[in-house]
Amino acid sequence: MQGQGVILTSQGVLPITVAIPTYRREQVLLNTLDYLLALIPQPAEILVLDQTEQHDPATVQRLQELHAAGRIRWLWLESPSIPQAMNRGLQEAKHDLVLFVDDDIRPEPGLIAAHLAAHQAHADVLLAGRVIQPWDEGLDISIVAHSEFAGIVPGWINDFIGCNFSVRRSTALALGGFDENFVRVAYRFEAEFAHRWRASGRRIYFEPAACLHHLKDSG
């Protein structure tokens, strides 16, 4: 079957795992999940890689309900580490294509399909999607048209932003995954992985149709 230009699974979902590393998020995490679960067609799998010590009771109840219903897989990680959580996402993913997003995002309707279509068009790439930050909202498109990750011009780039990118899990794992020596906020772990990715002879493609809004919410 086909949907939005990409192949659907026999269950009518998009053959991709969405992996969400999360830490100390409550309602904004639940909102993010609601947005993703409302997409048509839906991704085949949503992994919540939770590093939170203890959630509010209402958050726990909702996550348990979604997990029990098979709508998400909620995994608890013992220590907070963005690269470690992302590596766990690669290891746990049931689909070879893995899309990483932050826990405070609102996807555009075509986010998932655009990631899949770009991977079909470009073999074995890291696909960087468009990220509209709060300070980009409402700006004339001409102002952000050529900015690095909020722009609208597709093409080959050298870096990516960790809140909206996809890779083949097999390739990423073969390269050693993400460097867990980057701790806490793991500043620059993307640059290190991008360097290794490009050093392996592979490329990074920016696809603005794969778009989300980064909410930058503290709750």
Side-chain angles (χ1 to χ4, degrees):
M1 290 189 296
Q2 298 244 339
Q4 301 183 40
V6 296
I7 303 298
L8 301 177
T9 70
S10 59
Q11 290 76 36
V13 296
L14 296 168
I16 188 171
T17 292
V18 178
I20 310 171
T22 184
Y23 180 62
R24 294 183 176 179
R25 300 288 198 184
E26 303 297 338
Q27 188 60 49
V28 71
L29 169 62
L30 300 181
N31 291 344
T32 295
L33 292 173
D34 285 342
Y35 290 135
L36 290 168
L37 290 167
L39 294 175
I40 301 174
Q42 290 184 10
E45 179 180 42
I46 297 176
L47 280 178
V48 179
L49 305 154
D50 200 342
Q51 306 150 81
T52 306
E53 305 93 331
Q54 185 173 354
H55 280 296
D56 293 341
T59 304
V60 171
Q61 180 179 349
R62 181 61 176 152
L63 291 171
Q64 287 177 337
E65 290 172 351
L66 291 171
H67 178 82
R71 303 196 72 194
I72 67 171
R73 288 175 61 205
W74 180 30
L75 306 178
W76 183 73
L77 281 66
E78 192 167 326
S79 57
S81 163
I82 292 174
Q84 186 178 76
M86 295 175 74
N87 285 335
R88 180 71 178 275
L90 291 174
Q91 294 158 4
E92 293 279 351
K94 294 180 179 178
H95 296 269
D96 191 43
L97 190 58
V98 182
L99 166 60
F100 289 96
V101 299
D102 272 7
D103 54 6
D104 58 343
I105 61 101
R106 176 170 57 83
E108 288 287 316
L111 172 72
I112 310 294
H115 272 276
L116 282 164
H119 279 279
Q120 289 174 1
H122 307 287
D124 210 15
V125 298
L126 186 154
L127 196 287
R130 186 182 184 207
V131 177
I132 301 175
Q133 302 285 8
W135 51 86
D136 297 320
E137 297 285 358
L139 292 179
D140 187 282
I141 195 64
S142 63
I143 297 175
V144 298
H146 300 287
S147 63
E148 189 172 17
F149 296 115
I152 58 171
V153 181
W156 301 105
I157 58 176
N158 291 324
D159 295 296
F160 67 97
I161 185 170
C163 64
N164 182 12
F165 77 99
S166 57
V167 290
R168 296 284 176 189
R169 66 180 296 273
S170 52
T171 305
L173 288 171
L175 287 175
F178 302 98
D179 190 342
E180 296 182 14
N181 290 309
F182 289 85
V183 296
R184 300 177 189 257
V185 295
Y187 181 66
R188 300 289 291 172
F189 86 93
E190 296 109 323
E192 190 280 332
F193 187 80
H195 174 77
R196 272 190 290 132
W197 184 270
R198 289 185 284 105
S200 73
R202 296 174 174 87
R203 296 195 289 175
I204 301 172
Y205 190 76
F206 175 66
E207 176 49 72
C211 181
L212 59 74
H213 301 256
H214 195 192
L215 303 178
K216 289 283 190 181
D217 193 302
S218 59

